[in-house]
Amino acid sequence: MSQRNPQTVPDAGMTPGERRATAAVALVFGLRMAGLFMILPVFALYAGHLEGVTPTLVGVAIGAYGLTQALLQIPFGLLSDRLGRKRVITAGLVVFAAGSVVAATADGIWGVILGRALQGAGAVAAALMALLADLTRDEQRTKAMAGVGMSIGLSFALAMVAGPPLAAWIGVPGIFWLTGVLALLGIAVIHGVVPDPARSSRHRDTEPVPGELVRVLAQPELLRLDLGIFALHAVLTATFVALPPLLRSEAGLAPAAHGWLYLGAMAAGVAGMVPLVILAERRGRMRAVFLGAIVLLALAELLLWAGHGRLVPAALALAVFFWGFNVLEATLPSLVSRTVRPDGKGTAMGVYSSSQFLGAFVGGALGGWVSGRFGLPAVFLAALGLLVLWLAAALGMRPPPARRSVLVPVGRLEADEAALLATRLAALPGVVEAVVVAEEELAYLKVDPARFDPASVREFSVAAA
């Protein structure tokens, strides 16, 4: 049986091995995501000299990684159960590096599109999460996943800020070469720093399970959240198809200086995000904050359209944009975790992530098409229209009450014993749902933190014996 300790055992903190594994996996995530996002603020400025370029194809090139990532990340995660985590991760990073080389050496827009699609085809996110789950105890898993989430957010911010000066220094092909090097560095980290797990097993809290897909896709509230992350990243990608060229042509802002504008806007967005997330999570105002954040995005797109790329309106709009964007990036995963069954979280998050990357592809293609047909400012109106549709769909949301997941190792059980144990666990005060998966020797609980006493499940845990 794999070594698992539940959240019911007193938390002594992460072991050195868990901290090392978390830091290393977070670093690999960050390197890969930085490579994908550094192109976002600069490619539309560079693409004009490529052979065969059209506005639509510029948008497709920016978002192409999203299509292959959306299609392949769940299969890659499942494949890692069969072939081994590190083998699949290594193969994915090699594909990512190959895509970077293809894009770096391309003379035409179709070569860049192929390279970006190959970058997305190295879809190792689910396999990385599974590897980290193999290397951490259950009561430390939330901390480990939070560390990865922070690395992704930080890599996005750094990529947006660093992309413009890097493009001025080494050119966009140089950025593609750099992303290839970062992918190879990720391989070195995986094999040189991350320990080999003693045993790999499926973790329903972090990995998709094929048998859960139908159930997850049949939940209207989860589909509403998937629509939300799709729209959020479609709007993000479409906005950056149009904004950089307008900043250069209308505001007269040198491309190398764009990063400073993004840095200020992101800092303002983070400062505004914190109180709203606290209000949503701790004061029970999730619905109001969530809808308000969508309105903030809509206001930002309206300001960008009205300002037509002028510097002061654009700076204000970007600050408002990243205010709403950061709030939604923080609250959407929390809503997914609260809504899904305790044993379906990994599957729900897999569908959610696929929706996110599909949104990036559609947003890029839509932004490119609209800019070519109606002009760059019209992209902001198209994004505004998408946000209005999202807001209309979100008005019917019913925010789930505050819940958290608890994992309890229960040892080897027969099917009838597992069913009986699930009934006993569900009857405990504060336990909202209980699912016992006999083949995983694990109970998945969803609990009300205000009423749940961790000591109440200690007698059921083999790790507490």
Side-chain angles (χ1 to χ4, degrees), residues 193-257:
V193 180
V194 180
D196 293 321
R199 173 185 170 185
S200 291
S201 57
R202 181 168 293 168
H203 308 271
R204 290 171 180 250
D205 58 325
T206 58
E207 295 180 70
V209 178
E212 292 289 325
L213 275 172
V214 173
R215 181 182 295 165
V216 164
L217 293 172
Q219 285 189 254
E221 288 302 316
L222 285 176
L223 292 177
R224 196 193 307 268
L225 297 172
D226 294 334
L227 171 64
I229 195 63
F230 171 91
L232 182 63
H233 280 262
V235 166
L236 172 70
T237 310
T239 297
F240 280 90
V241 169
L243 182 59
L246 281 174
L247 288 175
R248 180 177 60 184
S249 63
E250 300 299 324
L253 191 64

Side-chain angles (χ1 to χ4, degrees), residues 410-437:
V410 294
R412 187 168 300 170
L413 298 172
E414 299 298 328
D416 56 343
E417 294 174 317
L420 177 60
L421 178 58
T423 302
R424 294 179 63 190
L425 288 168
L428 294 174
V431 176
V432 180
E433 291 182 83
V435 177
V436 179
V437 182

Side-chain angles (χ1 to χ4, degrees), residues 4-31:
R4 291 173 168 165
N5 297 322
Q7 292 182 0
T8 58
V9 177
D11 186 356
M14 283 187 164
T15 65
E18 288 173 327
R19 286 195 295 270
R20 183 172 65 253
T22 299
V25 171
L27 176 61
V28 175
F29 259 106
L31 293 172

Side-chain angles (χ1 to χ4, degrees), residues 14 97 109 112 121 142 181 209 222 225 231 237-238 261-262 265 314 322 341 348 384 387 390-391 395 417:
M14 283 187 164
I109 188 67
V112 176
T142 299
V181 172
V209 178
L222 285 176
L225 297 172
T237 310
L261 179 63
Y262 303 146
F322 283 115
R341 280 167 49 99
L384 176 62
L387 289 167
W390 179 16
L391 182 62
L395 285 173
E417 294 174 317

Side-chain angles (χ1 to χ4, degrees), residues 285-300:
R285 303 299 301 274
M286 178 65 77
R287 184 175 187 274
V289 168
F290 187 84
L291 296 176
I294 301 175
V295 172
L296 285 174
L297 288 179
L299 176 60

